[in-house]
Amino acid sequence: ARIGEVVRTTKETDVKVTINLDGSGICNCDTGIPFLDHMLDQLASHGLFDLNVMAKGDLHIDDHHTNEDVALALGTALLQALGDRKGIHRFGDFSAPLDEALVHVVLDLSGRPYLAYDMSIPTERVGTYDTQLVEHFFQSLANTSGMTLHIRQLSGKNSHHIIEASFKAFARALRKATEYDERRKGSIPSSKGVLSRA
């Protein structure tokens, strides 16, 4: 089973993440940040990953530390679950619409962390969630997973729709990248013969 499990404890947060890449879309997430939980549910549902995220953080200050540490732990769990990455497609892309919003995501499970983020979210908050934290979430996840990640907003006026479309597109792109390529027959999808975070 391709499962990753990470416990991350600091003076600011206590986070536990488990991801099963070959799941059925079951999400059990409680970060203390309702909108982030909603986005993690999109990731599980549309990626068909089983995802458990339990987090307690210094939300009396703001959501920043919890948002960041959940993403860091999730990226590390993804790194674990991928293992040597033998036989996977490696690349994934998807465009997800949500009403007027359209977001395109392209990613490469290359071992090289990079985020290109081109989103224009019109409001500072969705509910209580600071919309600046969306970019920070994806940056933190890319850093620890070793993923090259491009997120581009093609249209959208509603902040909730734009962000949710980005998570749905990310989920489907990641699902495509992590699935097995039958023609590859278990080989590593790289001309170098290795894909690693190092």
Side-chain angles (χ1 to χ4, degrees):
R2 296 187 298 166
I3 295 173
E5 183 173 332
V6 171
V7 176
R8 178 185 171 87
T9 302
T10 71
K11 291 181 179 180
E12 298 166 341
T13 64
D14 188 2
V15 179
K16 181 177 181 180
V17 172
T18 305
I19 188 169
N20 178 359
L21 298 181
D22 304 306
S24 57
I26 298 170
C27 183
N28 181 26
C29 296
D30 184 3
T31 65
I33 306 171
F35 186 75
L36 180 58
D37 292 343
H38 180 45
M39 293 303 102
L40 293 171
D41 187 45
Q42 304 310 308
L43 177 57
S45 177
H46 294 281
L48 290 181
F49 310 121
D50 290 344
L51 185 60
N52 288 277
V53 179
M54 296 293 121
K56 293 182 179 179
D58 53 1
L59 299 180
H60 60 284
I61 296 175
D62 67 10
D63 295 347
H64 183 98
H65 296 141
T66 302
N67 179 85
E68 177 181 28
D69 288 358
V70 164
L72 290 170
L74 178 58
T76 304
L78 177 60
L79 182 70
Q80 285 183 9
L82 286 168
D84 59 14
R85 309 182 190 207
K86 285 183 178 178
I88 63 170
H89 281 279
R90 175 180 162 179
F91 298 96
D93 74 288
F94 200 82
S95 294
L98 181 52
D99 296 348
E100 89 297 344
L102 179 62
V103 177
H104 185 58
V105 170
V106 182
L107 60 86
D108 176 10
L109 300 176
S110 59
R112 297 185 302 276
Y114 182 82
L115 175 66
Y117 180 89
D118 184 8
M119 297 251 288
S120 180
I121 302 171
T123 63
E124 292 183 358
R125 295 192 177 274
V126 173
T128 60
Y129 186 78
D130 182 350
T131 55
Q132 291 185 80
L133 296 180
V134 177
E135 180 176 8
H136 196 56
F137 179 91
F138 284 117
Q139 182 69 71
S140 299
L141 191 153
N143 285 348
T144 50
S145 66
M147 177 191 303
T148 298
L149 177 59
H150 290 253
I151 303 174
R152 178 173 293 177
Q153 177 187 336
L154 302 178
S155 66
K157 296 180 180 179
N158 179 282
S159 297
H160 189 132
H161 292 171
I162 294 165
I163 298 168
E164 186 168 333
S166 73
F167 273 83
K168 287 178 175 177
F170 174 72
R172 288 297 297 265
L174 185 60
R175 173 181 165 185
K176 187 184 297 186
T178 57
E179 286 179 342
Y180 287 115
D181 182 349
E182 292 182 3
R183 292 182 61 198
R184 195 160 289 285
K185 299 178 180 178
S187 66
I188 292 174
S190 171
S191 58
K192 294 181 293 187
V194 63
L195 285 174
S196 68
R197 175 65 180 82

